[in-house]
Amino acid sequence: MKNRWSLSSIFKCSVRKYLNSLQRYNKEGKMLATTATGNSNANSNKVIKPYLAAFDFDYTVVAQNTDTVIRDLLPPNKLTKDLHDIIELGGWTEYMAEVFRRLHASEIKAEKILQTIHGIPEVPGFQRMLKRLKTKYNCDLIVISDSNSLFIEEWLKFHGLAEYFTKIFTNPARFEDNGLLTIQPFHHQTDCRMSSVNLCKGKVLEHFLIEQDLRLNLSYDRVIYVGDGNNDICPVTKLRSRDLACPREGFSMERTLTKNPLKLKVRAELLTWKTGFDLLDKLERHMEKNEKLNQQEKIKHNKTLENTSSAYDGPAK
């Protein structure tokens, strides 16, 4: 769970490789089974997996906001106006850093924080859905969240889900030796106006796909993005027409996408959901339909190859 993506790994690649990979991902239709180097041996070893499923965490996998659940452990006299003002002055991550400092000063122990995180309920049906996507459909699963690594990893481990995820992208956090919980921003960005300065989910998703291609010679036939908030809009704009954007019904992501799909230039198919049970049912129907189409394409392709081969055999003698 600690094997996180690093920007430095991307910059070690040449600019030409990076741009070629990005262009190849954004191209409509299936990802090309070629690498940025054009190496024929690499082409023959190309792996194309059927699905990557990327998830937000708060109000998507779990039914509450992990940050505010822990913030509410503070005594009421610690929830002051100057604490709230940090949101406007320094952003949410700095706000939570101050919350953690006040929790420590109030002698709220690490055990209490972890116990509270473990007790946050799932969005109904999500544990079952995640396990099924991984075990039955061989989906690679990742989390892209503006929560923090400690909360997400602890919740997943407690519920037996950690092993199902390939990577977690979020703000790094840890307990220091003195028991203080500390947090750092995932990165610093000013390019994306749809995202906070500490985390652009679209950039993270894009770079993950590029890294998989350049490092592992791996691409995905389809990408599924599941979220609920407006900070989940950016990654949706990176998806292709064959991909799926899955906003939770009644939340800001759904309202924004249904109101401004053309303005946002969303190409992916929208699939709304209420619970994990609901989402799994819709995804399975979509996957089964795609499997039938893929089989038909394969049969058609094989017949074309047979006809081409016969044409080069020459007349029968």
Side-chain angles (χ1 to χ4, degrees):
M1 301 298 293
K2 295 182 179 179
N3 183 21
R4 296 188 183 85
W5 166 82
S6 170
L7 281 173
S8 62
S9 65
I10 298 299
F11 293 131
K12 290 178 182 177
C13 303
S14 67
V15 173
R16 180 173 63 84
K17 288 182 181 180
Y18 179 90
L19 293 176
N20 284 348
S21 295
L22 180 59
Q23 185 179 38
R24 186 161 63 253
Y25 172 71
N26 283 329
K27 185 181 177 75
E28 288 297 323
K30 286 187 177 180
M31 256 187 223
L32 299 180
T34 57
T35 63
T37 62
N39 186 296
S40 59
N41 291 331
N43 293 345
S44 63
N45 295 326
K46 186 73 175 182
V47 176
I48 302 180
K49 297 192 73 170
Y51 294 99
L52 169 70
F55 297 89
D56 176 41
F57 195 72
D58 293 353
Y59 292 119
T60 297
V61 177
V62 296
Q64 295 172 291
N65 183 319
T66 51
D67 284 341
T68 59
V69 166
I70 297 304
R71 179 201 63 194
D72 291 345
L73 294 176
L74 280 171
N77 65 338
K78 297 293 184 180
L79 296 170
T80 56
K81 182 180 182 300
D82 64 307
L83 174 62
H84 184 76
D85 290 343
I86 295 175
I87 299 174
E88 293 296 326
L89 297 174
W92 186 263
T93 305
E94 181 53 40
Y95 168 76
M96 287 307 301
E98 177 60 23
V99 167
F100 298 154
R101 287 190 286 268
R102 295 189 183 199
L103 284 168
H104 186 253
S106 301
E107 299 186 348
I108 306 297
K109 303 299 183 182
E111 291 78 11
K112 177 62 175 177
I113 293 174
L114 295 179
Q115 181 184 30
T116 303
I117 288 295
H118 297 160
I120 296 175
E122 65 168 334
V123 170
F126 247 78
Q127 293 187 57
R128 178 175 180 270
M129 184 201 67
L130 293 170
K131 292 176 181 178
R132 193 166 179 86
L133 289 179
K134 185 65 177 180
T135 57
K136 182 176 180 179
Y137 298 100
N138 193 29
C139 290
D140 280 356
L141 309 179
I142 63 174
V143 169
I144 310 177
S145 168
D146 203 8
S147 179
N148 68 69
S149 58
L150 185 86
F151 292 174
I152 296 172
E153 291 176 7
E154 280 294 329
W155 193 90
L156 292 176
K157 283 190 290 186
F158 183 80
H159 292 277
L161 295 168
E163 64 188 83
Y164 293 96
F165 284 86
T166 301
K167 285 191 177 181
I168 294 173
F169 301 94
T170 187
N171 305 299
R174 67 175 188 175
F175 283 110
E176 303 297 338
D177 292 340
N178 64 356
L180 172 65
L181 179 55
T182 59
I183 184 171
Q184 300 294 326
F186 178 79
H187 60 206
H188 180 79
Q189 68 86 29
T190 56
D191 298 331
C192 179
R193 295 183 178 181
M194 290 185 284
S195 306
S196 58
V197 295
N198 65 290
L199 180 64
C200 173
K201 295 185 178 184
K203 186 177 293 185
V204 170
L205 177 61
E206 216 168 41
H207 285 180
F208 173 76
L209 292 166
I210 292 168
E211 184 186 31
Q212 293 292 88
D213 184 20
L214 293 177
R215 280 190 169 188
L216 303 179
N217 204 21
L218 168 66
S219 63
Y220 299 94
D221 191 35
R222 285 177 169 83
V223 177
I224 303 165
Y225 189 89
V226 184
D228 66 276
N230 277 328
N231 64 350
D232 295 308
I233 299 296
C234 181
V236 167
T237 66
K238 310 297 182 184
L239 301 179
R240 306 155 298 178
S241 60
R242 66 188 299 103
D243 298 328
L244 283 175
C246 305
R248 189 177 181 187
E249 287 186 24
F251 287 74
S252 56
M253 180 185 179
E254 183 210 14
R255 291 192 293 269
T256 301
L257 288 177
T258 53
K259 184 178 179 181
N260 303 304
L262 296 178
K263 182 179 178 181
L264 293 169
K265 298 180 180 178
V266 175
R267 295 174 291 179
E269 180 181 347
L270 295 185
L271 192 158
T272 60
W273 58 278
K274 295 180 180 179
T275 68
F277 299 114
D278 174 36
L279 180 57
L280 177 60
D281 180 62
K282 292 181 178 181
L283 286 176
E284 286 195 312
R285 279 186 280 158
H286 195 277
M287 290 170 170
E288 289 169 3
K289 180 181 72 174
N290 287 334
E291 181 61 26
K292 290 179 181 179
L293 292 175
N294 289 340
Q295 289 297 328
Q296 291 172 0
E297 288 179 4
K298 186 176 181 180
I299 293 171
K300 184 177 180 180
H301 178 68
N302 289 338
K303 286 183 178 180
T304 301
L305 290 178
E306 290 174 3
N307 293 337
T308 302
S309 177
S310 299
Y312 282 101
D313 287 341
K317 293 183 180 179

